Each structure stands twice: as structure tokens, then as C-alpha cells.
Amino acid sequence: MSEKLDIIVVGAGVFGLASAYHLQKKNPSKKILLIDRLADAGQANTAMSAAAVRNTFSSRTNQILTDTTIDFYIDVQENLKFDLDLQLVGYLWLLTEKQLADPLNKKWMEKMDANKIKYELYEGENLKRKLPELSMKVSDNEEARIMNLEDIKAGLFGVKCGILDPSKLVSFYKNEFARISKVKPMFNTEVEELILEPPNKLGVPGEPFIWQDPSVVGVKTADGEIRGDTVVMAAGTWVNKLTDPTGIDGRVKVKKRQLFRVSTEGSQSLKSILNVKSFNKFNSLPFTVLPRGVYLRPVRQEESFWVGCADKLNRPFKYVQTEDDWKSEQNYFEQSMYPVLSAYLPAFKDVRPASGWAGAYAYSYDAVPYVYKEAGMIFATGDSGSGIMKADAVGRMVDALYRGEKTTTLHGGVKIDTGTLSIGNRKVEKEEVLI
Ligand SMILES: Cc1cc2nc3c(=O)[nH]c(=O)nc-3n(C[C@H](O)[C@H](O)[C@H](O)COP(=O)(O)OP(=O)(O)OC[C@H]3O[C@@H](n4cnc5c(N)ncnc54)[C@H](O)[C@@H]3O)c2cc1C
């Protein structure tokens, strides 16, 4: 591409898309190129996601990012009439006595109370009445005892939480960006390298020298160089691959994550769980998290559940997502998730997944995203497994940083310091409630 661009957004996942959209909306005269190595937008981890949304975080920053992003999605669906298949079915955390008494969880609830994040606590019989298929007492089950599974005491129900269709969210941002953009996005185009150059190039071999203050002025692809004043780095779990050769720190660690589809076909009890009537107006199971982190995402249009678990120990951190991270592991379902699932929900006994898939999370060190400027680039990374539910806020912060605004206005007029997600001036608490 010969023409010089104002902004190049590398990566058309949900972070890149939301960034491109908000940048273009607020800077209508700027030429913004969205570039991705895949055939279309949102085909990498965004497409692999469970696409659940919740505002029930412990970190105040994550609460704000998600609360305003969910409000934006509600607005898109209800007022702009763009169907995202957003259903606020709720999030149900099933907690043991120990978990209920855990000071971290107590603090989590206090922080939600303090910030008016709505949740309800269903204890004992009240929970059992709502979800009769749940086996709350597992301590008399020998297998459960071997696995150190404990009885469930309560369910914490997050109200402004739910699920959406990630492909519809991608279409929304992609279409809206295309409508206002001056530059056609480039797909099937891999960024092979970042171009690092000094502002006043001397044309001497060995440049850039340490005294030249080089910055990233564009990208190299197989078809040549593309130059832009600002590069927005939204390459997710591949960021280190692009930044490492330039000596810039990509700052994320990558971990594989998997989902398995379990059909309710032929099982009345599974259908009753999926279509339970006591939690929300959709007559749907909420997004439900069992002790040990095994979770169920209802997919009622497929008469199925997606079952996942973000395992911590024994799942290696990687530096960059690899081919292997796209393959689900049947034995992970059978040996790690299934025993927990069938102990608490016996209706899943002998059930096997019809299919599975995998992707990866790009973790920041505190599980709050990164939005910062470095060497001519604006980074929008560190999704930490909750990028769908934070994307709109992240996109707005990228735009505010680009325009040099000290304060970002999020959806609904909520203000946040634009430096909040930066590195040098980072003002966030470590997130304690991760799935
Ligand atoms: C199993 C699973 C379940 C999840 N569940 C949830 C959930 O319930 N809720 C939630 O909010 N989040 C969830 N997530 C996380 C969510 O999917 C991510 O946070 C989100 O997709 C991150 O978006 P992104 O744009 O940063 O990354 P991606 O969607 O991965 O986009 C990065 C893009 O960069 C492109 N790219 C990379 N390198 C280059 C290059 N060199 N040249 C050109 N293009 C490049 C890639 O092709 C890709 O399209 C889940 C993720 C997984 C894997």
C-alpha cells in the first residue's frame, strides 16, 4: 500500500475491532487500516470464546470496564436494534462452605456491594429449589471424597451478566467500522515485522542508533511495507512474536483454554437443567461455575451446553499461541472436568462431548487489560480471558489515548483516567475472581 495511513490496527479480533470503530468514530478524517492474517475479522480467539459477560469482578477497574461494556451491548441490541443475541441469563457461582468463608470472597462481595454491582445469594434449600438437579451434598459420595470435592452451601448469582453471540458482536463492530472508514480492511495479510525507524533517518547502515529515538512507523507484509503514524497493537496472544524482534516487551503470557459441546439430546434431566425456569426470564440455566472452576455455558439454540474449565496448575504458560493451542483434548474433559461435573450434576453421568475446540488467553500480570503507548504504538492487549466483556471500554480508551485525552468517557458517561491501564502509571488492583 503506497498511501500513508494515520493508523494501522494490527489484529481484527474484538479488541482491534472495537479500537478501530471508536478511533474512526472520534477521528472521522483519519485513514485507519484494519489488518489481519486470517480470512475475516474475529476468527481467532474471539470466535473460540464462551462469550459470557459479567460485571461481577473484584477489581474496581474490571468492574467499570465490564459494566460499561455490557451497558453498551444492551444499548446496541435494544436501541440500535442490532441483535447480538445478548441474554442476561445471569452468572451462578456455586460455592462451598470454605469458599463462602474465604476472606478473598468476602472482600469480593464487599467490593461489589460498595460499587453497587448487583448480585443475590441463594443458600441451602433456596438454591436446591431453584436447581433441583444439583447435588449439593457430595461428601457422602466416595469418588467425590477422593477428589476432595466439598458440599455446596450457596449460589452467588450475578444479575447484570449473561451470554451473547461473538460472531454477531464482531459483525456489529466490523459493519459499523466499514460504514465510516475510508480504508478497506486487509484480511489474509500477515504482519511479518514491525518497522522501527528514527524520525530523521540518516540512511547509514546500522540505524537506528540508541540516540535516535526510534519508533514503530509501520508494518511489513509479504506484499511490502505499510506506513502509518500510529500502530495499534491488538494481536492478542501473538503480540510477543511481533514485538520481540524490536526489543519491545509484549508483556503477556499465554495459556491454552478449551470448550466442549455437550448435547442434551435423549436426556430429560439435561434438558431440565438447560431450561430451568427459576433464574431468569429466558428460562435458561445461568452461566454456571462449579467448585474447582468447571463451568457450563447454556446454548439453548443448539440444545447444548458448552463446558469449560480454565485450569491453573499443570497447564503451562506459553509465550505465543501455537498450533497445538487450537486442539481440544478429550482426556482433559474425561479426566479433569467430567468427574467434577457428574459429581455435582449427576444428570451428566456417562455423557461425552459431541465436539470440542480450543484457543488461548493473553494474560496480563494482574488480569486487567493493557492500554498504553510505547514506541509509536498503542497496545490493546492482556485480555486475560475476558476480552469480549471489556472490549468496548478498551476501544474507547485506545481512542482517548490516541487523542491525548487524560480522561476517557466510557459508555453511559462514566469517566476513567486514560492512564489507568497503562504500564508506567497503572492504577489497578489485581483481579481475584477469575474463571
Ligand atoms: C475457550 C475460551 C473461552 C473464552 N470465554 C470468554 C468469555 O466467556 N467471555 C469473555 O469475555 N472472553 C472469553 N474468552 C476470551 C476472549 O475470547 C478474548 O479475550 C478475546 O477474544 C480477545 O480478543 P483479541 O482481539 O485480543 O484477540 P483475538 O480474537 O485472538 O484477535 C487477535 C487477532 O490478531 C490477529 N493477528 C495476530 N498476529 C497477527 C499478525 N502478525 N498479522 C496479522 N494479524 C495478526 C489474529 O489473526 C487475530 O484475529 C475466551 C477465550 C477462550 C479461548
Side-chain angles (χ1 to χ4, degrees):
M1 184 177 273
S2 53
E3 74 177 315
K4 179 135 188 281
L5 297 154
D6 295 298
I7 305 171
I8 302 169
V9 180
V10 179
V14 73
F15 273 8
L17 285 167
S19 301
Y21 166 68
H22 285 294
L23 281 163
Q24 192 70 81
K25 208 171 158 198
K26 284 289 172 71
N27 306 276
S29 65
K30 300 289 181 192
K31 290 192 202 126
I32 304 175
L33 170 69
L34 184 61
I35 184 166
D36 201 292
R37 60 156 190 226
L38 297 178
D40 206 341
Q43 302 290 295
N45 291 303
T46 297
M48 301 303 139
S49 142
V53 297
R54 64 171 167 122
N55 59 355
T56 47
F57 283 85
S58 68
S59 136
R60 180 63 187 139
T61 309
N62 273 342
Q63 288 176 355
I64 295 171
L65 300 179
T66 52
D67 197 61
T68 58
T69 295
I70 295 170
D71 277 341
F72 179 67
Y73 297 164
I74 293 173
D75 201 29
V76 167
Q77 184 159 286
E78 289 183 359
N79 299 324
L80 300 183
K81 303 288 176 211
F82 192 103
D83 181 24
L84 299 175
D85 233 342
L86 172 68
Q87 299 188 350
L88 296 182
V89 295
Y91 250 64
L92 180 68
W93 264 277
L94 297 169
L95 303 171
T96 65
E97 193 161 12
K98 250 191 224 150
Q99 287 175 311
L100 260 183
D102 185 334
L104 275 180
N105 284 336
K106 283 193 179 304
K107 219 167 158 193
W108 168 38
M109 290 180 227
E110 280 165 23
K111 283 181 181 170
M112 290 196 288
D113 290 335
N115 298 315
K116 300 195 168 48
I117 302 288
K118 270 176 83 179
Y119 69 92
E120 288 159 14
L121 209 54
Y122 309 132
E123 295 192 59
E125 271 309 300
N126 192 9
L127 175 63
K128 183 76 191 163
R129 260 196 308 277
K130 282 185 168 291
L131 191 55
E133 289 80 4
L134 178 68
S135 206
M136 292 178 64
K137 188 167 167 55
V138 292
S139 51
D140 49 7
N141 164 342
E142 200 182 331
E143 271 179 34
R145 269 205 309 277
I146 294 169
M147 293 186 285
N148 293 322
L149 298 185
E150 293 172 17
D151 296 346
I152 290 171
K153 283 283 167 212
L156 187 151
F157 181 78
V159 177
K160 200 204 279 183
C161 304
I163 49 176
L164 55 76
D165 181 337
S167 65
K168 291 187 176 168
L169 182 63
V170 164
S171 295
F172 169 76
Y173 280 123
K174 187 184 154 191
N175 296 350
E176 287 303 298
F177 174 65
R179 205 168 51 77
I180 54 178
S181 168
K182 300 175 183 321
V183 186
K184 203 166 167 273
M186 286 172 90
F187 294 115
N188 289 314
T189 310
E190 173 147 15
V191 170
E192 295 175 345
E193 246 179 80
L194 300 171
I195 307 170
L196 190 68
E197 267 183 21
N200 299 312
K201 215 172 153 190
L202 302 171
V204 178
E207 282 185 281
F209 306 116
I210 54 164
W211 40 266
Q212 277 184 312
D213 291 329
S215 62
V216 172
V217 295
V219 299
K220 279 188 196 163
T221 72
D223 297 327
E225 293 189 348
I226 307 173
R227 292 191 168 244
D229 291 334
T230 300
V231 169
V232 173
M233 178 48 69
T237 49
W238 297 275
V239 62
N240 295 324
K241 193 175 166 195
L242 283 172
T243 53
D244 265 17
T246 61
I248 298 165
D249 191 349
R251 291 193 169 87
V252 302
K253 289 208 267 185
V254 173
K255 223 182 233 211
K256 176 176 180 174
R257 296 300 181 216
Q258 311 179 43
L259 280 169
F260 296 86
R261 188 172 84 84
V262 172
S263 166
T264 62
E265 209 183 312
S267 166
Q268 204 42 56
S269 342
L270 287 180
K271 285 188 203 303
S272 305
I273 296 175
L274 184 66
N275 302 307
V276 62
K277 294 189 172 43
S278 45
F279 290 97
N280 49 57
K281 67 175 183 193
F282 303 97
N283 295 336
S284 164
L285 182 75
F287 183 97
T288 299
V289 189
L290 299 170
R292 302 275 171 190
V294 175
Y295 66 79
L296 292 156
R297 194 272 201 205
V299 196
R300 291 170 73 242
Q301 61 278 30
E302 290 178 7
E303 286 288 324
S304 296
F305 304 93
W306 293 344
V307 187
C309 182
D311 43 352
K312 295 185 178 67
L313 300 181
N314 204 32
R315 174 70 59 188
F317 277 115
K318 291 187 177 176
Y319 202 53
V320 169
Q321 186 170 353
T322 61
E323 278 304 307
D324 177 55
D325 300 322
W326 296 118
K327 296 177 199 139
S328 63
E329 302 153 16
Q330 185 78 9
N331 66 344
Y332 177 58
F333 179 88
E334 284 175 11
Q335 294 167 350
S336 278
M337 291 155 66
Y338 170 76
V340 178
L341 186 61
S342 56
Y344 287 114
L345 291 164
F348 281 86
K349 205 146 185 51
D350 297 327
V351 155
R352 289 293 173 270
S355 57
W357 61 94
Y361 295 178
Y363 282 99
S364 66
Y365 75 89
D366 46 24
V368 183
Y370 292 129
V371 176
Y372 63 96
K373 252 186 181 167
E374 188 170 346
M377 289 191 285
I378 296 178
F379 284 76
T381 53
D383 66 271
S384 306
S386 43
I388 304 278
M389 54 184 115
K390 295 173 185 162
D392 194 71
V394 164
R396 287 173 200 256
M397 291 180 85
V398 167
D399 163 63
L401 192 57
Y402 175 75
R403 289 186 293 115
E405 298 282 338
K406 279 203 158 28
T407 305
T408 306
T409 306
L410 301 174
H411 184 72
V414 176
K415 307 273 184 206
I416 188 168
D417 184 332
T418 305
T420 304
L421 306 181
S422 70
I423 302 299
N425 201 18
R426 197 164 176 81
K427 296 180 201 109
V428 307
E429 302 157 74
K430 184 174 183 298
E431 179 57 54
E432 303 291 354
V433 186
L434 293 173
I435 298 168

